Amino acid sequence: MNCNKLILIWVLFWCPYFLYGQEQPNIIWISCEDISPYLAAYGDSTATTPHIDALAAEGVVYENAFAVAGVCAPSRSCIITGMYPTYLGTNHMRTGRDITGWGNQTYRANKGVVDVLGENVREYSAVIPGEVKCFPEYLRAAGYFCSNNAKTDYQFAAPLSAWDENDGKAHWRNRAPERPFFAVFNFNETHESKLWAHQDLPLTVDPASVKIPPYFPDQETVRKDIARQYSNIMLMDQRVGEIIAQLKADGLYEDAYIFFFSDHGGALPRSKREVMSSGLKVPLIIKYPAGHQNTGRSERLTSFLDLAPTVLEMAGVEPPEHLQGESILSGDHEYVFAARDRMDETTVRRRMVTDGRWLLIQHQLPEASHYQEIQYRYKVPIMKLWKDLYENGKLNSVQENWFQSPEGEWELYDLKRDPYEIHNLAGDPVTTEEFNRLAKALKGWQDQIPDRCRQPESQLIAEMWPGGIQPKTEEVSAKARGGKWVLQCPMPGASIIWRAAKGKWQLYHEPLKMKGASAAVEVKAVRIGYQDSEMLTIPLKEDI
C-alpha cells in the first residue's frame, strides 16, 4: 500500500474524531407540544424566547419541516419508528391508554367511539409490522444510553427494549461515565390543554398586541387564547433554558447535537388535528457539534420520518432499510405527506401532499363539515365562542367557512401567497398544472406505501387482536455456549431484554457471560403491540 493511500485511510478514520470531539456524539432532543413556528427564529417575536433564540443563532433553522399528522399520538408513532402511521396502522387518534398490560381493556361504546361503519371501537395497543422497532433500540445496541423524560404516546405501550430510562427522572446524568447518550425531554407547557389549565396564570403577552388570523372573529376571548398560547411558549422556553444550562454545566453543550421541535402544529382550533400547514408545519432547529460549521437557515423539505435516520446517521449507526424517511444529513425530499383519520370520537379520512409552497388535501370520505364535533377541543374557550357565533349567523364568509361542507374532493393552497389557507384553488384553471403535479405525487405515495387505515378500524383491530385478544410474545430459550448464554426468541420482530437482581432492563444484543455479579438474570421477549413473554430465569455460573 503506498503512502497516499495510508494518509487517506488515516484522514477518513480519524478526522471525525478530531473535528467533532468523539466518535459517538451525544444527541439531545428537546420536544415541545402543539406549536407552529410561532418563534422569533421564524419571524414571529410575539413571545420572548431567549433560550430558543440562542439555540437558533448557533444552529440551523429548518424552514420547511412538517409532521405526518396534526395530532400527537400518530405523529409520535412516526417519530419513534421512522414510519408512516398509515403504514403502521397507528393513524387513528387514539388507540388506547399509554400503559403496559393492555389485555383487559373494555369497549368504549359509552364514549361514542365508532369507526366509519358505525361499529364500536375498543381500546387497543396497535400491533405494527414485525420489522419495525423503536429506533433508540438500534442506538442501545451500539452502546448508547437512551433516556426519555417522559412522554411516549406512541399508540402502543413503549417496549422495555426502547429505553434505558423512561420516566420523569430519566436523564443523561444517570448513565455510566463517558457512555454516549441519546436523551429526550418532552415539555407540555404549550399543549392544547394548557389553554384552559393555565387560565389562572398571568398572561405575559398583551392580548391587544396579538395578530388574529382572518378565520377567527376579533373577540376578547380569541385574543386571550392567542395571548395564552404565546405566554405558554414563554414558559416552555424557560424549560429549554434549564436543559441547555445543564448541558453547559456538564461540559457537554459544545460537542452535542441538540434538536428542538414541536410534535405537530399549533394548539388552537383549525390548527391541531388538521392536515393543513397550520396543523403540520413545525419549528425544527438543530445545533450541530463544534467544528461542523452548520449554522443559518435551510429550506430543505423535511418530514418527521427523517428524525430517526438522521439520529442514527449522526451516531454512526446504519439505518435499517425499512425506514421510510431520509437523513437530514444526506438526503432530501421533493414532497412530504400526511394523513388524518379518526380523531377521538369522529372519523374522517384525509390525505395531504406538499412541496413546501403548494399544499393539496384529498377528502376520501364524505364530510358534512371541515369542523368535527370533538368534545375534548370544546374545552378551548375559542372553540365554544366560535361555534356559538356561527350558529347565530354572526361570522363573515371567511370565519364561517370551516363549519361548512368541503367544496368537493380537493383543497389546494398556495402557502406563499395565502399562508392562512383561506383560498381553495382546486378547480382554478390557473393552478391546473400545480394541482395535477401534486395529485400525481399523492397517488404515487398511496400506491407505493400500503395504507392500513383505509379499512374500517374495527377490521384493523380484528387483524391486530384476533378474536379480540391481544397477542403474546413467544418465550425466550437459552443455550450455554463457550461460557456464555445465547438467547433466542423464535418470533419474528421480537426483542430480548434481561436484568440482574431486579435492576434496570437491558437490551440483549450479544451473549451474556455466565459469570456475573448476580447469581441469576431474568429474561423475556417483547414485541410492539404484544403482551410480553413469560419470564425466564437463568443462572450466571460457569459450571453449566
Side-chain angles (χ1 to χ4, degrees), residues 24 134-147 158-166 179-182 311-312 315 317 495-499 504-510 526:
Q24 289 184 296
C134 294
F135 82 86
E137 187 169 320
Y138 305 115
L139 296 173
R140 293 184 76 186
Y144 271 77
F145 175 84
C146 296
S147 62
L160 293 168
S161 55
W163 302 104
D164 289 277
E165 292 185 342
N166 181 23
R179 186 177 175 188
F181 64 84
F182 171 55
V311 170
L312 292 175
V317 177
S495 298
I496 299 173
I497 55 175
W498 64 275
R499 66 181 180 185
K504 293 181 179 179
W505 287 104
Q506 307 295 319
L507 177 69
Y508 173 79
H509 60 94
E510 58 184 4
V526 298

Side-chain angles (χ1 to χ4, degrees), residues 462-505:
E463 290 180 2
M464 293 180 173
W465 287 35
I469 300 172
Q470 184 182 20
K472 190 170 184 176
T473 313
E474 295 182 38
E475 295 181 20
V476 177
S477 63
K479 292 183 179 180
R481 187 179 301 162
K484 296 180 180 180
W485 281 113
V486 177
L487 309 179
Q488 291 182 321
C489 177
M491 175 172 284
S495 298
I496 299 173
I497 55 175
W498 64 275
R499 66 181 180 185
K502 302 295 183 180
K504 293 181 179 179
W505 287 104

Side-chain angles (χ1 to χ4, degrees), residues 61-288:
V61 176
Y62 291 87
E63 298 180 330
N64 284 298
F66 290 83
V68 298
V71 73
C72 54
S75 180
R76 288 175 179 271
S77 73
C78 165
I79 290 169
I80 199 63
T81 62
M83 309 291 285
Y84 284 108
T86 48
Y87 174 82
L88 299 178
T90 57
N91 207 52
H92 297 290
M93 175 67 188
R94 77 183 45 245
T95 63
R97 293 171 287 175
D98 189 19
I99 58 172
T100 56
W102 291 73
N104 296 311
Q105 307 305 323
T106 58
Y107 282 79
R108 301 180 65 191
N110 61 323
K111 297 184 180 180
V113 182
V114 297
D115 69 9
V116 293
L117 295 181
E119 297 186 26
N120 293 332
V121 174
R122 65 170 300 165
E123 290 184 328
Y124 63 101
S125 179
V127 174
I128 69 177
E131 73 274 12
V132 181
K133 298 180 183 294
C134 294
F135 82 86
E137 187 169 320
Y138 305 115
L139 296 173
R140 293 184 76 186
Y144 271 77
F145 175 84
C146 296
S147 62
N148 180 58
N149 186 338
K151 186 171 183 176
T152 52
D153 207 11
Y154 304 145
Q155 304 281 57
F156 48 79
L160 293 168
S161 55
W163 302 104
D164 289 277
E165 292 185 342
N166 181 23
D167 56 37
K169 297 181 180 179
H171 202 286
W172 71 77
R173 289 175 172 172
N174 301 329
R175 78 196 194 284
E178 306 305 320
R179 186 177 175 188
F181 64 84
F182 171 55
V184 178
F185 296 90
N186 298 277
F187 298 144
N188 70 357
E189 283 80 3
T190 52
H191 187 266
E192 176 186 29
S193 62
K194 305 307 180 184
L195 292 170
W196 64 85
H198 284 175
Q199 283 187 335
D200 293 335
L201 297 181
L203 288 171
T204 52
V205 169
D206 182 2
S209 70
V210 301
K211 188 174 183 179
I212 300 179
Y215 47 78
F216 284 150
D218 189 347
Q219 300 272 346
E220 180 182 3
T221 297
V222 174
R223 288 188 170 276
K224 283 185 176 179
D225 273 7
I226 295 175
R228 176 65 61 199
Q229 179 174 246
Y230 283 112
S231 297
N232 289 342
I233 289 173
M234 293 173 68
L235 292 174
M236 179 268 295
D237 182 72
Q238 295 175 22
R239 301 289 305 280
V240 174
E242 293 170 4
I243 298 300
I244 298 299
Q246 291 171 11
L247 286 167
K248 290 181 176 179
D250 291 357
L252 299 170
Y253 178 80
E254 292 296 329
D255 291 326
Y257 288 96
I258 304 173
F259 290 62
F260 170 82
F261 59 92
S262 173
D263 62 351
H264 53 76
L268 295 173
R270 203 182 178 272
S271 294
K272 186 169 181 176
R273 302 175 183 85
E274 299 297 333
V275 285
M276 308 171 83
S277 175
S278 58
L280 298 171
K281 195 168 186 179
V282 296
L284 172 63
I285 299 167
I286 304 177
K287 200 262 328 165
Y288 289 75

Side-chain angles (χ1 to χ4, degrees), residues 480-481 483-485 512-516 539-542 544:
R481 187 179 301 162
K484 296 180 180 180
W485 281 113
L512 303 179
K513 293 182 179 179
M514 288 184 175
K515 186 177 182 180
L540 291 182
K541 55 183 181 179
E542 293 182 302
I544 299 290

